[in-house]
Amino acid sequence: PLTLEEVRMLVELFYLPYHHGPRAQHLLEHFRWLRANSLSVGVPATASDACGGTQWRGQAQSFQLLCAQTCRLHSRFVSSAGRALLYDLHPYLWDIRNMLLAASAFVLWLGCQSITAPMLLGRDAEPWARRGGLFGELQALLPVGNSCDLFYHPPPLFPSSQLYLLRPLLPLDKVRATAQWGRRRLVGLSFPWARLGSGQQLSTVPAPSGRLLGSFLSLSPEYTFVLEDEGGPCGYAAGALCAEGFLQQRDSSWLPAIRHKYPQDLSAGAAALGQEALLFFHAEPPAVPLPVLRRFPSLVQLGTAPRVLDVGASRSLAICLLSALRANGSRGVFCQVSATDRQQLSFYSKLG
């Protein structure tokens, strides 16, 4: 059963619509302060006062701990609460869990980036645009807080106690993915739902993960996020702030290098997945119309493993990536999907 401390945490998260318990108040105060003082950290550091960065990281660690405790409370509540109470309260706790997954990853991202301009927020939303309570106040603190369609979605019919972690791509992830692109253990990072046959020559043929994420890992790793569950990596979100420059660099330098490394004649002895990846690399990518690039300057790409049935975790991925792009000045995004790729079309449709 839930402990007394967990019940107290639950009450403090939903104390009154405009009056929060101590734990919820700490979450808000930490997030406000971290967002307002994010210029004091970065790689390379942008602040002349080293103490400011140390204080920021200490506050960020406290905020991460509060977020992790709340996410664990959601998991424990689903496992322990009676059915009637679960279905009454789960939608509210699920909303908070999803919001804190995105907020936590966004704070981690702030801690390893150099933001050279003030964080861009949308214009003040109409009063009806956000709901009240802790959820609405956390939403208002994210750079995409006025994009209400991202935040309103029904909870799952069957609540899951699965724990998720959402974080930015770490430098070690990139090193491993670049050094061992096609090996089985790295497919879990970049393309976790790939089914690899035991007879494939993975050392000589690029994996489908390279087709999806290779250019982002090489050219725009600072806008890449990883979703993990208890089984390991299970989703990703990748973006490019300036899609026009990203696509030019991909076509002029990255793709020619990949084609040279993996010539098309390798496909003769490769299995189906390897042949598919090689064909993709050697085909000319479709051009993006200039009006699209002008109106939607950033490119995004997201995906999750089939085992991720909770659309809330996928939405948290999207919110975090879009918040990072918006914080650095993006005013719109687009994604590229094949008209015949029903899996991706369904995934993006579920995201709204």
Side-chain angles (χ1 to χ4, degrees), residues 57-79:
R57 294 181 191 284
Q59 290 271 37
Q61 190 172 7
S62 298
F63 180 73
Q64 299 292 327
L65 181 59
L66 286 169
C67 291
Q69 289 173 343
T70 307
C71 291
R72 186 165 293 278
L73 170 64
H74 168 267
S75 177
R76 293 269 295 124
F77 184 76
V78 172
S79 301

Side-chain angles (χ1 to χ4, degrees), residues 9 43 78 81 90 97 104 107 166 184 189 210-211:
M9 189 192 314
V43 181
V78 172
H90 177 258
R97 190 281 307 260
S104 175
V107 166
L166 177 54
R184 177 188 290 267
L189 165 70
R211 180 185 74 175

Side-chain angles (χ1 to χ4, degrees), residues 18 91-92 94-96 98-99 125-140 142 144-156 311-312 315-316 319 349-352:
Y18 298 100
Y92 304 100
W94 181 75
D95 272 342
I96 293 294
N98 296 337
M99 180 67 73
E126 296 293 333
W128 48 263
R130 302 191 193 104
R131 70 183 77 172
L134 180 62
F135 182 93
E137 294 198 45
L138 287 169
Q139 176 187 339
L142 287 169
V144 292
N146 288 347
S147 303
C148 299
D149 289 347
L150 284 170
F151 297 92
Y152 296 135
H153 43 280
V311 72
R315 289 209 182 221
S316 296
I319 290 168
S349 297
K350 288 177 182 176
L351 289 182

